[in-house]
Amino acid sequence: MTTDTLFARIVRGEIPAQIVYQDDEVTAFRDIHPAAPVHVLIVPNRVIPTLNDASAEDEVLLGKLFLTAQRLARELGIDQSGYRVVMNTNADAGQSVAHIHLHLLGGRRLTWPPG
Ligand code: DGP
């Protein structure tokens, strides 16, 4: 499994990004093409290419991605107004980086269903 994804390079500090949170397991940074006033990507530091590749061993890590989104939503002031957490998988969903990432979106009224 490759460890050299674009997001792994951001995690390692080799590519600049506006990091809003980082610990030993997860990193959160601003999306370079924000689709909403708040648009943060939350990634595991360890590469899992797609959700299809996750296993029971990743259960706690996947939960941590969501709890990080919850905390950042609060810290960024969108927890009460509302926010969306999305993980795209493979081509039909538009996944463009093979390193799983949660999108945390908020700060405006989001439409549903997504396109
Ligand atoms: P997805 O389509 O779900 O794979 O989302 C990938 C997101 O990654 C997309 O919204 C744009 C963002 N992105 C791509 N390249 C970079 C980068 O170099 N830096 C940052 N901060 N975000 C990036």
Side-chain angles (χ1 to χ4, degrees), residues 21 23 26 28 42 63-73 104:
Y21 178 74
D23 65 21
V26 304
I42 304 157
K64 182 159 183 177
L65 296 180
F66 275 91
L67 289 178
T68 301
Q70 177 209 59
R71 186 168 45 72
L72 290 175
L104 169 64

Side-chain angles (χ1 to χ4, degrees), residues 6-7 10 29-32 41 88 94-97 101 103:
L6 173 65
F7 291 166
I10 288 175
F29 51 92
R30 303 268 182 183
D31 194 292
I32 203 167
L41 302 176
N88 296 319
Q95 182 179 2
S96 61
V97 180
H101 45 283
H103 294 256

Side-chain angles (χ1 to χ4, degrees), residues 52-63:
N52 292 335
D53 303 300
S55 66
E57 288 174 11
D58 303 315
E59 193 171 333
V60 172
L61 183 59
L62 293 173

Side-chain angles (χ1 to χ4, degrees), residues 70-89:
Q70 177 209 59
R71 186 168 45 72
L72 290 175
R74 189 169 59 244
E75 291 176 6
L76 295 170
I78 57 171
D79 58 320
Q80 298 305 310
S81 52
Y83 60 93
R84 186 170 295 160
V85 174
V86 178
M87 183 179 288
N88 296 319
T89 299

